[in-house]
Amino acid sequence: MSPDVPDLRRLRQFIAIADVGSVTAAATSLHISQQALSSSMQQLEKDLSATLFRREGRRLTLTRAGELLLTEGRTLLAAAQTVATRVQHSAHGTAEMFVVGHTPALSGSEAYARLEPAIYAFPDTSFTFRQLYPDQLADAVLDGSVHLGLRRGVVPTNELATAILGYDRVRLAVPREHQLAVRPVVDIHELAGERIALWAPPGSSYYSDFLIGACRRAGFEPEYVVSRVQGAATVAAPLTTGAVTFVTTPPGPAMDGRVVVTELEPPLLVGAQAMWQRHTSSAVREVLLTQP
């Protein structure tokens, strides 16, 4: 017999218990009796034909089935909240707002360019762009406050749905006084011995890992410095670090001519990855995903 679909109220209660590891503490936070909460969890386990908790001393821990329900349950509750909000907007005739979040690795103009087809396709929809750091962006997409997130690289995740919207060519930005500034094209092998500016250390950023990996494939271990100015345009990094940096900015002068962007060979492409809440639909998103 197939298990029943979990009741959203019981699912929210289950997550509260999983978060604190105690029925007593969860009951207090939920303002219900311990007995009522225990009975609710027994019914949830019965509905799903699965044991969700095991007791270890005075603390409850999750079984393998419980861990799966916790991960999927958070996503399902977030999607349910998103659906409820959209229904309320529709019922009251209020304009729908589509919030786009992007990491600093994508400039505001690059994010706009990715969304432009949908902006023209839905003239009655209001679009808002927000710049967020990668961990903040993922959390905002999960809780539904951002409808579509954009970030660099291809980051694996089980909590969010993802797709690549396109690829951008990586170029090199250098200070105007740098010896490479007069070169229209720079081979990546020539960066051996140069300091390279990053926005996060390798191991904490998939984009940094991608860039460091490109250097290693070229046969050298890069010397890098993490920019002390975060959230600004990536092409500004050479000004505060004195280092060269990888950008997706068009070639030519930048930052009032104080920085020069030159082509990088061999061609290096980096993806613009979109991410969104699973279990949700969006006509705006579909326009973006069906672009050639």
Side-chain angles (χ1 to χ4, degrees):
M1 182 176 66
S2 298
D4 292 334
V5 174
D7 177 271
L8 292 181
R9 176 178 58 85
R10 292 195 178 103
L11 185 56
R12 186 174 290 108
Q13 294 170 346
F14 162 78
I15 292 173
I17 297 172
D19 283 343
V20 298
S22 164
V23 172
T24 302
T28 300
S29 67
L30 294 169
H31 306 291
I32 60 175
S33 70
Q34 182 177 341
Q35 181 179 1
L37 185 55
S38 295
S39 298
S40 182
M41 291 304 97
Q42 291 173 4
Q43 185 59 51
L44 180 61
E45 291 183 320
K46 181 179 178 181
D47 291 342
L48 296 175
S49 302
T51 300
L52 302 174
F53 298 100
R54 68 169 71 89
R55 182 169 291 280
E56 295 182 356
R58 301 182 65 179
R59 185 174 177 83
L60 291 177
T61 60
L62 296 176
T63 64
R64 185 175 178 180
E67 290 174 350
L68 177 62
L69 182 61
L70 180 61
T71 299
E72 295 290 338
R74 291 190 196 279
T75 304
L76 187 59
L77 282 179
Q81 182 61 54
T82 296
V83 171
T85 300
R86 291 181 62 192
V87 169
Q88 289 175 359
H89 283 308
S90 177
H92 293 89
T94 54
E96 186 172 358
M97 177 180 291
F98 194 84
V99 181
V100 181
H102 61 95
T103 62
L106 283 99
S107 68
S109 60
E110 288 175 319
Y112 179 88
R114 292 294 177 193
L115 267 292
E116 194 168 26
I119 291 172
Y120 282 104
F122 295 91
D124 295 328
T125 298
S126 174
F127 290 83
T128 297
F129 289 79
R130 295 171 55 192
Q131 186 186 87
L132 298 166
Y133 291 115
D135 55 343
Q136 297 171 325
L137 180 60
D139 289 343
V141 175
L142 279 171
D143 68 24
S145 58
V146 166
H147 301 124
L148 188 77
L150 297 175
R151 61 187 174 190
R152 285 296 183 200
V154 181
V155 185
T157 176
N158 293 323
E159 295 182 307
L160 298 170
T162 64
I164 298 297
L165 292 187
Y167 290 87
D168 295 298
R169 183 161 179 167
V170 176
R171 298 182 176 90
L172 188 70
V174 300
R176 178 178 54 194
E177 302 80 11
H178 197 282
Q179 61 180 355
L180 296 176
V182 297
R183 302 273 300 279
V185 179
V186 174
D187 192 290
I188 192 171
H189 297 86
E190 297 178 76
L191 301 183
E194 294 281 353
R195 281 200 318 157
I196 297 173
L198 300 175
W199 294 270
S204 63
S205 163
Y206 282 96
Y207 188 36
S208 292
D209 291 344
F210 169 82
L211 297 173
I212 293 295
C215 295
R216 288 172 177 164
R217 288 191 298 274
F220 67 94
E221 185 65 29
E223 177 186 353
Y224 69 87
V225 58
V226 176
S227 175
R228 64 185 177 86
V229 180
Q230 296 288 313
T234 55
V235 75
L239 298 177
T240 54
T241 63
V244 304
T245 190
F246 295 109
V247 299
T248 51
T249 309
M255 303 303 296
D256 295 325
R258 292 178 293 162
V259 174
V260 176
V261 178
T262 186
E263 296 288 4
L264 188 68
E265 293 289 349
L268 179 63
L269 299 177
V270 63
Q273 185 182 39
M275 53 186 182
W276 63 90
Q277 274 186 343
R278 294 164 54 197
H279 314 304
T280 61
S281 63
S282 166
V284 171
R285 190 173 68 226
E286 288 304 310
V287 167
L288 301 175
L289 296 179
T290 55
Q291 289 298 301

mmCIF file of all heavy atoms in Angstrom, residues 12 20 31 38 40 49 63 109 121 123 126 137-138 140 183 187 189-190 192 195 207 224-225 245 257 260 267 277-278:
data_model
loop_
_atom_site.group_PDB
_atom_site.id
_atom_site.type_symbol
_atom_site.label_atom_id
_atom_site.label_comp_id
_atom_site.label_asym_id
_atom_site.label_seq_id
_atom_site.Cartn_x
_atom_site.Cartn_y
_atom_site.Cartn_z
ATOM 1 N N ARG A 12 5.600 20.230 9.644
ATOM 2 C CA ARG A 12 6.211 21.376 10.328
ATOM 3 C C ARG A 12 6.572 20.996 11.773
ATOM 4 O O ARG A 12 7.636 21.389 12.274
ATOM 5 C CB ARG A 12 5.238 22.556 10.309
ATOM 6 C CG ARG A 12 5.819 23.845 10.855
ATOM 7 C CD ARG A 12 4.872 25.014 10.669
ATOM 8 N NE ARG A 12 4.739 25.395 9.270
ATOM 9 C CZ ARG A 12 3.678 25.178 8.526
ATOM 10 N NH1 ARG A 12 2.622 24.542 9.042
ATOM 11 N NH2 ARG A 12 3.629 25.563 7.269
ATOM 12 N N VAL A 20 15.497 20.611 17.346
ATOM 13 C CA VAL A 20 15.915 20.742 18.754
ATOM 14 C C VAL A 20 16.230 19.402 19.402
ATOM 15 O O VAL A 20 16.826 19.358 20.484
ATOM 16 C CB VAL A 20 14.836 21.484 19.579
ATOM 17 C CG1 VAL A 20 14.631 22.884 19.044
ATOM 18 C CG2 VAL A 20 13.518 20.712 19.578
ATOM 19 N N HIS A 31 3.755 25.719 21.089
ATOM 20 C CA HIS A 31 2.615 26.069 21.944
ATOM 21 C C HIS A 31 1.520 25.001 21.917
ATOM 22 O O HIS A 31 0.320 25.307 21.840
ATOM 23 C CB HIS A 31 2.032 27.434 21.539
ATOM 24 C CG HIS A 31 3.037 28.536 21.515
ATOM 25 N ND1 HIS A 31 3.639 29.044 22.646
ATOM 26 C CD2 HIS A 31 3.591 29.222 20.464
ATOM 27 C CE1 HIS A 31 4.483 30.002 22.316
ATOM 28 N NE2 HIS A 31 4.491 30.126 21.004
ATOM 29 N N SER A 38 3.415 14.246 20.495
ATOM 30 C CA SER A 38 3.814 12.839 20.378
ATOM 31 C C SER A 38 2.791 12.062 19.554
ATOM 32 O O SER A 38 3.148 11.251 18.691
ATOM 33 C CB SER A 38 3.955 12.210 21.773
ATOM 34 O OG SER A 38 5.010 12.810 22.489
ATOM 35 N N SER A 40 0.803 13.271 17.302
ATOM 36 C CA SER A 40 0.908 13.736 15.919
ATOM 37 C C SER A 40 2.049 13.034 15.196
ATOM 38 O O SER A 40 1.919 12.641 14.033
ATOM 39 C CB SER A 40 1.113 15.252 15.899
ATOM 40 O OG SER A 40 1.168 15.742 14.574
ATOM 41 N N SER A 49 4.461 4.996 6.960
ATOM 42 C CA SER A 49 4.940 3.610 7.161
ATOM 43 C C SER A 49 6.453 3.590 7.378
ATOM 44 O O SER A 49 7.192 2.816 6.769
ATOM 45 C CB SER A 49 4.573 2.721 5.960
ATOM 46 O OG SER A 49 3.179 2.707 5.745
ATOM 47 N N THR A 63 16.340 8.728 12.114
ATOM 48 C CA THR A 63 16.694 7.547 11.341
ATOM 49 C C THR A 63 17.057 7.988 9.926
ATOM 50 O O THR A 63 16.968 9.174 9.587
ATOM 51 C CB THR A 63 15.525 6.567 11.283
ATOM 52 O OG1 THR A 63 14.434 7.195 10.579
ATOM 53 C CG2 THR A 63 15.053 6.164 12.680
ATOM 54 N N SER A 109 24.506 44.152 -14.438
ATOM 55 C CA SER A 109 24.198 44.192 -15.869
ATOM 56 C C SER A 109 24.171 42.787 -16.460
ATOM 57 O O SER A 109 23.345 42.500 -17.343
ATOM 58 C CB SER A 109 25.212 45.066 -16.604
ATOM 59 O OG SER A 109 26.519 44.564 -16.448
ATOM 60 N N ALA A 121 8.908 39.555 -21.889
ATOM 61 C CA ALA A 121 7.783 38.632 -22.080
ATOM 62 C C ALA A 121 6.658 38.873 -21.080
ATOM 63 O O ALA A 121 5.499 38.545 -21.356
ATOM 64 C CB ALA A 121 8.275 37.189 -21.978
ATOM 65 N N PRO A 123 5.379 42.027 -19.266
ATOM 66 C CA PRO A 123 5.418 43.472 -18.996
ATOM 67 C C PRO A 123 4.661 43.882 -17.740
ATOM 68 O O PRO A 123 4.880 44.988 -17.236
ATOM 69 C CB PRO A 123 4.774 44.081 -20.252
ATOM 70 C CG PRO A 123 3.930 42.990 -20.819
ATOM 71 C CD PRO A 123 4.658 41.717 -20.520
ATOM 72 N N SER A 126 6.677 42.808 -11.955
ATOM 73 C CA SER A 126 7.722 43.658 -11.394
ATOM 74 C C SER A 126 8.938 42.788 -11.060
ATOM 75 O O SER A 126 8.806 41.731 -10.433
ATOM 76 C CB SER A 126 7.216 44.348 -10.123
ATOM 77 O OG SER A 126 8.245 45.072 -9.496
ATOM 78 N N LEU A 137 22.483 33.554 -0.731
ATOM 79 C CA LEU A 137 21.639 33.354 -1.905
ATOM 80 C C LEU A 137 20.919 32.013 -1.835
ATOM 81 O O LEU A 137 19.710 31.935 -2.074
ATOM 82 C CB LEU A 137 22.485 33.439 -3.180
ATOM 83 C CG LEU A 137 21.744 33.244 -4.500
ATOM 84 C CD1 LEU A 137 20.658 34.302 -4.670
ATOM 85 C CD2 LEU A 137 22.713 33.297 -5.671
ATOM 86 N N ALA A 138 21.649 30.957 -1.503
ATOM 87 C CA ALA A 138 21.025 29.633 -1.412
ATOM 88 C C ALA A 138 19.924 29.621 -0.360
ATOM 89 O O ALA A 138 18.832 29.077 -0.583
ATOM 90 C CB ALA A 138 22.081 28.576 -1.103
ATOM 91 N N ALA A 140 18.157 32.171 0.692
ATOM 92 C CA ALA A 140 17.037 33.002 0.246
ATOM 93 C C ALA A 140 16.189 32.277 -0.791
ATOM 94 O O ALA A 140 14.959 32.422 -0.814
ATOM 95 C CB ALA A 140 17.557 34.320 -0.318
ATOM 96 N N ARG A 183 48.676 44.234 -24.021
ATOM 97 C CA ARG A 183 48.499 43.028 -24.823
ATOM 98 C C ARG A 183 47.019 42.805 -25.127
ATOM 99 O O ARG A 183 46.192 42.745 -24.203
ATOM 100 C CB ARG A 183 49.056 41.828 -24.070
ATOM 101 C CG ARG A 183 50.553 41.955 -23.704
ATOM 102 C CD ARG A 183 51.409 41.465 -24.818
ATOM 103 N NE ARG A 183 51.121 40.076 -25.080
ATOM 104 C CZ ARG A 183 51.628 39.062 -24.346
ATOM 105 N NH1 ARG A 183 52.462 39.313 -23.336
ATOM 106 N NH2 ARG A 183 51.332 37.816 -24.649
ATOM 107 N N ASP A 187 47.986 34.648 -22.963
ATOM 108 C CA ASP A 187 47.866 33.205 -22.783
ATOM 109 C C ASP A 187 47.884 32.907 -21.292
ATOM 110 O O ASP A 187 48.674 33.487 -20.539
ATOM 111 C CB ASP A 187 49.018 32.477 -23.480
ATOM 112 C CG ASP A 187 48.770 30.979 -23.566
ATOM 113 O OD1 ASP A 187 48.820 30.311 -22.512
ATOM 114 O OD2 ASP A 187 48.507 30.493 -24.679
ATOM 115 N N HIS A 189 49.072 30.590 -19.682
ATOM 116 C CA HIS A 189 50.376 30.114 -19.205
ATOM 117 C C HIS A 189 51.252 31.272 -18.732
ATOM 118 O O HIS A 189 52.128 31.090 -17.881
ATOM 119 C CB HIS A 189 51.097 29.343 -20.307
ATOM 120 C CG HIS A 189 50.385 28.094 -20.741
ATOM 121 N ND1 HIS A 189 49.405 28.113 -21.710
ATOM 122 C CD2 HIS A 189 50.507 26.810 -20.336
ATOM 123 C CE1 HIS A 189 48.961 26.876 -21.892
ATOM 124 N NE2 HIS A 189 49.599 26.071 -21.066
ATOM 125 N N GLU A 190 51.004 32.482 -19.280
ATOM 126 C CA GLU A 190 51.808 33.647 -18.922
ATOM 127 C C GLU A 190 51.482 34.169 -17.524
ATOM 128 O O GLU A 190 52.164 35.072 -17.018
ATOM 129 C CB GLU A 190 51.615 34.757 -19.944
ATOM 130 C CG GLU A 190 52.068 34.405 -21.360
ATOM 131 C CD GLU A 190 51.802 35.530 -22.331
ATOM 132 O OE1 GLU A 190 52.563 36.517 -22.310
ATOM 133 O OE2 GLU A 190 50.826 35.438 -23.098
ATOM 134 N N ALA A 192 51.690 32.379 -14.844
ATOM 135 C CA ALA A 192 52.541 31.719 -13.857
ATOM 136 C C ALA A 192 53.458 32.761 -13.230
ATOM 137 O O ALA A 192 54.142 33.513 -13.928
ATOM 138 C CB ALA A 192 53.355 30.612 -14.527
ATOM 139 N N ARG A 195 50.382 37.316 -9.278
ATOM 140 C CA ARG A 195 49.375 37.208 -8.215
ATOM 141 C C ARG A 195 48.001 37.359 -8.840
ATOM 142 O O ARG A 195 47.770 38.261 -9.653
ATOM 143 C CB ARG A 195 49.580 38.284 -7.151
ATOM 144 C CG ARG A 195 50.680 37.983 -6.160
ATOM 145 C CD ARG A 195 50.513 38.812 -4.893
ATOM 146 N NE ARG A 195 50.135 40.192 -5.174
ATOM 147 C CZ ARG A 195 49.510 40.981 -4.299
ATOM 148 N NH1 ARG A 195 49.183 40.521 -3.109
ATOM 149 N NH2 ARG A 195 49.221 42.227 -4.605
ATOM 150 N N TYR A 207 33.466 28.926 -7.535
ATOM 151 C CA TYR A 207 34.010 29.764 -8.603
ATOM 152 C C TYR A 207 35.525 29.892 -8.455
ATOM 153 O O TYR A 207 36.268 29.801 -9.434
ATOM 154 C CB TYR A 207 33.342 31.141 -8.570
ATOM 155 C CG TYR A 207 33.687 32.020 -9.751
ATOM 156 C CD1 TYR A 207 33.867 31.494 -11.030
ATOM 157 C CD2 TYR A 207 33.820 33.390 -9.590
ATOM 158 C CE1 TYR A 207 34.177 32.308 -12.113
ATOM 159 C CE2 TYR A 207 34.122 34.216 -10.669
ATOM 160 C CZ TYR A 207 34.303 33.672 -11.924
ATOM 161 O OH TYR A 207 34.604 34.486 -12.989
ATOM 162 N N TYR A 224 47.740 33.445 -5.143
ATOM 163 C CA TYR A 224 46.509 34.222 -5.126
ATOM 164 C C TYR A 224 46.422 35.097 -3.876
ATOM 165 O O TYR A 224 47.084 34.860 -2.861
ATOM 166 C CB TYR A 224 45.280 33.310 -5.208
ATOM 167 C CG TYR A 224 45.033 32.472 -3.976
ATOM 168 C CD1 TYR A 224 44.280 32.963 -2.909
ATOM 169 C CD2 TYR A 224 45.541 31.176 -3.874
ATOM 170 C CE1 TYR A 224 44.044 32.203 -1.775
ATOM 171 C CE2 TYR A 224 45.321 30.407 -2.750
ATOM 172 C CZ TYR A 224 44.578 30.925 -1.701
ATOM 173 O OH TYR A 224 44.357 30.173 -0.576
ATOM 174 N N VAL A 225 45.593 36.118 -3.970
ATOM 175 C CA VAL A 225 45.276 36.984 -2.844
ATOM 176 C C VAL A 225 43.766 37.180 -2.853
ATOM 177 O O VAL A 225 43.152 37.331 -3.923
ATOM 178 C CB VAL A 225 46.010 38.339 -2.947
ATOM 179 C CG1 VAL A 225 45.661 39.058 -4.248
ATOM 180 C CG2 VAL A 225 45.680 39.226 -1.746
ATOM 181 N N THR A 245 43.184 39.689 -12.343
ATOM 182 C CA THR A 245 42.002 38.957 -11.916
ATOM 183 C C THR A 245 41.198 38.487 -13.116
ATOM 184 O O THR A 245 41.234 39.090 -14.193
ATOM 185 C CB THR A 245 41.123 39.823 -10.998
ATOM 186 O OG1 THR A 245 40.101 39.024 -10.415
ATOM 187 C CG2 THR A 245 40.480 40.957 -11.770
ATOM 188 N N GLY A 257 39.312 53.762 -17.027
ATOM 189 C CA GLY A 257 40.585 53.562 -17.685
ATOM 190 C C GLY A 257 41.706 53.092 -16.780
ATOM 191 O O GLY A 257 42.835 52.863 -17.245
ATOM 192 N N VAL A 260 42.472 47.559 -17.385
ATOM 193 C CA VAL A 260 42.342 47.119 -18.772
ATOM 194 C C VAL A 260 41.934 45.658 -18.777
ATOM 195 O O VAL A 260 42.524 44.835 -18.060
ATOM 196 C CB VAL A 260 43.662 47.303 -19.555
ATOM 197 C CG1 VAL A 260 43.526 46.753 -20.971
ATOM 198 C CG2 VAL A 260 44.059 48.770 -19.586
ATOM 199 N N PRO A 267 40.417 29.859 -24.909
ATOM 200 C CA PRO A 267 39.128 30.306 -24.381
ATOM 201 C C PRO A 267 38.712 29.521 -23.143
ATOM 202 O O PRO A 267 38.825 28.291 -23.106
ATOM 203 C CB PRO A 267 38.164 30.056 -25.552
ATOM 204 C CG PRO A 267 39.041 30.104 -26.764
ATOM 205 C CD PRO A 267 40.348 29.508 -26.335
ATOM 206 N N GLN A 277 13.457 27.044 -6.131
ATOM 207 C CA GLN A 277 12.783 26.094 -5.254
ATOM 208 C C GLN A 277 12.268 24.906 -6.054
ATOM 209 O O GLN A 277 11.618 25.072 -7.103
ATOM 210 C CB GLN A 277 11.581 26.743 -4.570
ATOM 211 C CG GLN A 277 11.882 27.482 -3.305
ATOM 212 C CD GLN A 277 10.585 27.954 -2.651
ATOM 213 O OE1 GLN A 277 9.522 28.012 -3.275
ATOM 214 N NE2 GLN A 277 10.670 28.313 -1.388
ATOM 215 N N ARG A 278 12.544 23.729 -5.560
ATOM 216 C CA ARG A 278 11.929 22.554 -6.150
ATOM 217 C C ARG A 278 10.441 22.541 -5.828
ATOM 218 O O ARG A 278 9.977 23.220 -4.918
ATOM 219 C CB ARG A 278 12.598 21.293 -5.602
ATOM 220 C CG ARG A 278 14.059 21.150 -6.022
ATOM 221 C CD ARG A 278 14.790 20.139 -5.177
ATOM 222 N NE ARG A 278 14.109 18.861 -5.155
ATOM 223 C CZ ARG A 278 14.346 17.912 -4.245
ATOM 224 N NH1 ARG A 278 15.223 18.114 -3.289
ATOM 225 N NH2 ARG A 278 13.692 16.772 -4.289
#
